Amino acid sequence: YKSDTHFFFHKSILGIEKLEDLIGFNIGIIRGDYAVAYVRDRLPDATLAVYASNKALFDAVQKGDIRVFVKDTPIALYHMTRRNIRHEFKYHHQHPLYSNMFYAAVKEGNDDLRETISRGMDTITKDERAAVVRRWMGVSDTKTRDVLVIAVADGYNPLSMSNFEGKPTG
């Protein structure tokens, strides 16, 4: 799965077209995220507001302490949707800062399973992938009992997280 990273900015900020336009703002970012090195390399004079977690970053975004931030796009959209603030922020859909690929992870040496998963992912359509992403982001009404559960560390939303009841989801 290809995941883009964008910079997001409050809708009241005008004239933001490229990364360089963020100079002068406190740019919200997660400690240890690749985005830290990416922004520092391209904007060495930028002021970064570094947060320990997605929760801390989006708490600051929701309170209005941060009006500009850099985040993996599906994760940002998930958190903003969940907090009902997505309509308050913009990003340039067609111009990601960079993209990462997520791959199926299997136990080392289990090439048969890795190949099966890869073949399966190659057979689904763009629309089906979009439906999966919508479901990850909690915007799907789909109800099904045919659920594949994959365990991963919590806190990498929307891929792994806990729902409002504290149950694993993603």
Side-chain angles (χ1 to χ4, degrees), residues 2-3 6 14 17 24 29 57-58 65 68 89 95-96 116 119 150 167-168:
K2 179 182 162 199
S3 176
H6 284 87
L14 305 176
E17 296 296 325
I29 207 159
L57 171 63
F58 287 97
D65 296 341
V68 173
F89 288 84
H95 304 290
T116 299
R119 280 192 312 273
I150 301 171
K167 294 180 181 176

Side-chain angles (χ1 to χ4, degrees), residues 12-88:
S12 67
I13 302 172
L14 305 176
I16 303 290
E17 296 296 325
K18 56 191 180 303
L19 187 63
E20 292 77 16
D21 295 333
L22 303 183
I23 291 289
F25 292 96
N26 286 328
I27 303 170
I29 207 159
I30 301 290
R31 180 182 312 125
D33 195 313
Y34 173 74
V36 174
Y38 183 91
V39 173
R40 284 194 173 138
D41 182 51
R42 285 154 184 82
L43 296 178
D45 297 328
T47 303
L48 301 183
V50 181
Y51 292 88
S53 67
N54 286 322
K55 181 183 181 325
L57 171 63
F58 287 97
D59 284 349
V61 169
Q62 187 169 22
K63 288 190 298 189
D65 296 341
I66 292 296
R67 298 178 50 182
V68 173
F69 61 94
V70 175
K71 192 67 194 141
D72 301 325
T73 309
I75 294 170
L77 296 174
Y78 168 82
H79 282 283
M80 290 188 297
T81 299
R82 191 166 182 193
R83 294 166 180 262
N84 198 28
I85 59 172
R86 184 171 172 178
H87 64 283
E88 296 179 23

Side-chain angles (χ1 to χ4, degrees), residues 69-153:
F69 61 94
V70 175
K71 192 67 194 141
D72 301 325
T73 309
I75 294 170
L77 296 174
Y78 168 82
H79 282 283
M80 290 188 297
T81 299
R82 191 166 182 193
R83 294 166 180 262
N84 198 28
I85 59 172
R86 184 171 172 178
H87 64 283
E88 296 179 23
F89 288 84
K90 296 181 180 182
Y91 70 105
H92 299 293
H93 304 275
Q94 303 302 319
H95 304 290
L97 296 176
Y98 57 88
S99 299
N100 289 315
M101 293 299 292
F102 290 104
Y103 297 95
V106 299
K107 185 176 179 179
E108 187 174 4
N110 196 341
D111 294 334
D112 290 340
L113 179 57
R114 182 181 45 78
E115 282 299 317
T116 299
I117 292 170
S118 292
R119 280 192 312 273
M121 292 301 291
D122 289 342
T123 64
I124 66 175
T125 68
K126 184 178 178 180
D127 289 341
E128 290 168 325
R129 283 181 190 248
V132 169
V133 171
R134 283 193 305 275
R135 182 159 181 183
W136 281 347
M137 295 176 59
V139 294
S140 173
D141 294 324
T142 304
K143 303 275 188 206
T144 180
R145 297 206 182 273
D146 300 325
V147 175
L148 171 64
V149 176
I150 301 171
V152 293

